[in-house]
């Protein structure tokens, strides 16, 4: 005796969509595992994964009312497809795209902080050459430099530049705003800045390349 899963065309379409959703999730899980095990090239993986994500987004939009939670759908049908659920629901992009985005964000972020540090070093050294030696002129520059150095994660806590700037800021904080550095103090500060700048450049990855 034939058993019908549906009573009308609408129910039949619903079950067909469920079957398609099931297939997409299973295929994505298989693809994720193949990529992790290096059984497929990154370019092949990205192309196939992108197709599955597009199909999934289209289908899940259609099934939004009937399948409000993909996680629950996977649990209901005992799918055990956590990698697929992450890729399709949480991430929404292939792993290759995700990794590239993270690398670019990390690189651009570090690059911008490095540029900020270099600018602050040069500004501080140039201001001393222009005889801007009053505490209210020097302190903000060294404070900006110290803050930018602390933002750069590749520098250790005991990095020379960080320690020197901390010492100078402490010394300046004990002086009045209109007080000025003596010629000897200005010369020492310039020397410390130059020394710290050279150490900073040497600490950067691929410095000098």
């Amino acid at each position: 005796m034939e058993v019908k899963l549906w009573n009308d065309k609408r129910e039949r379409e619903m079950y067909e969509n469920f079957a398609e959703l099931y297939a997409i999730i299973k295929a994505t899980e298989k693809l994720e595992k193949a990529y992790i095990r290096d059984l497929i090239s990154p370019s092949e993986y990205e192309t196939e994964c992108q197709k599955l994500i597009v199909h999934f987004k289209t289908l899940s939009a259609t099934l939004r009312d009937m399948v409000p939670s993909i996680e629950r759908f996977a649990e209901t049908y005992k799918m055990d497809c956590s990698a697929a659920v992450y890729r399709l629901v949480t991430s929404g992009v292939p792993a290759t795209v995700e990794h590239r985005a993270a690398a670019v964000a990390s690189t651009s972020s570090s690059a911008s902080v490095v540029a900020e540090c270099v600018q602050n070093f040069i500004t501080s050294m140039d201001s001393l050459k222009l005889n801007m030696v009053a505490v209210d002129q020097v302190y903000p520059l060294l404070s900006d430099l110290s803050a930018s150095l602390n933002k750069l994660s590749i520098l250790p806590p005991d990095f020379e530049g960080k320690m020197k700037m901390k010492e100078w800021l402490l010394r300046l904080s004990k002086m009045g705003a209109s007080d000025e550095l003596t010629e000897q103090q200005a010369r020492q500060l310039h020397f410390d800045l130059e020394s710290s700048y050279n150490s900073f450049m040497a600490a950067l990855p691929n410095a000098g390349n």
Side-chain angles (χ1 to χ4, degrees):
M1 182 179 172
E2 187 181 340
V3 179
K4 282 192 174 182
L5 292 175
W6 52 82
N7 296 313
D8 54 36
K9 187 179 177 183
R10 190 177 174 186
E11 272 193 19
R12 177 180 176 176
E13 194 173 296
M14 181 187 77
Y15 280 112
E16 284 177 351
N17 284 336
F18 279 6
E20 193 175 342
L21 180 61
Y22 184 96
I24 289 171
I25 294 171
K26 278 290 188 183
T28 305
E29 184 72 16
K30 189 176 178 182
L31 185 66
E32 288 293 304
K33 287 180 177 175
Y35 175 62
I36 290 166
R37 293 168 185 162
D38 284 331
L39 299 176
I40 186 172
S41 73
S43 59
E44 286 176 308
Y45 161 79
E46 190 170 318
T47 302
E48 291 306 312
C49 191
Q50 197 65 63
K51 284 180 191 173
L52 288 167
I53 289 169
V54 169
H55 289 161
F56 168 76
K57 284 181 178 176
T58 305
L59 190 58
S60 59
T62 305
L63 293 172
R64 188 176 289 119
D65 293 336
M66 288 173 280
V67 187
S69 169
I70 299 298
E71 290 90 339
R72 195 169 297 171
F73 178 88
E75 279 177 27
T76 301
Y77 293 99
K78 297 179 172 55
M79 298 184 72
D80 190 24
C81 293
S82 56
V85 171
Y86 172 80
R87 185 63 49 217
L88 296 169
V89 181
T90 309
S91 173
V93 294
T96 44
V97 175
E98 202 173 47
H99 298 159
R100 280 202 303 273
V104 169
S106 171
T107 304
S108 61
S109 169
S110 296
S112 66
V113 177
V114 168
E116 188 182 316
C117 289
V118 170
Q119 186 179 15
N120 287 332
F121 265 121
I122 292 171
T123 303
S124 298
M125 288 189 281
D126 283 351
S127 68
L128 292 174
K129 288 177 185 175
L130 294 170
N131 204 35
M132 294 170 63
V133 292
V135 170
D136 61 356
Q137 293 174 316
V138 178
Y139 190 94
L141 298 176
L142 298 189
S143 182
D144 287 347
L145 173 56
S146 180
S148 59
L149 289 172
N150 285 325
K151 280 194 282 185
L152 202 59
S153 57
I154 59 170
L155 298 176
D158 61 349
F159 173 68
E160 178 190 346
K162 290 183 180 181
M163 304 302 286
K164 291 284 185 187
M165 293 313 106
K166 191 175 180 182
E167 288 169 14
W168 274 105
L169 287 170
L170 186 62
R171 193 179 307 174
L172 292 170
S173 67
K174 294 174 182 176
M175 299 168 66
S178 60
D179 288 348
E180 293 189 352
L181 297 177
T182 64
E183 187 180 338
Q184 186 178 356
Q185 286 175 322
R187 191 170 178 176
Q188 183 62 48
L189 175 54
H190 190 277
F191 175 82
D192 288 345
L193 283 166
E194 200 162 37
S195 172
S196 298
Y197 177 70
N198 291 334
S199 298
F200 171 76
M201 295 306 287
L204 296 179
N206 304 317
N209 287 355

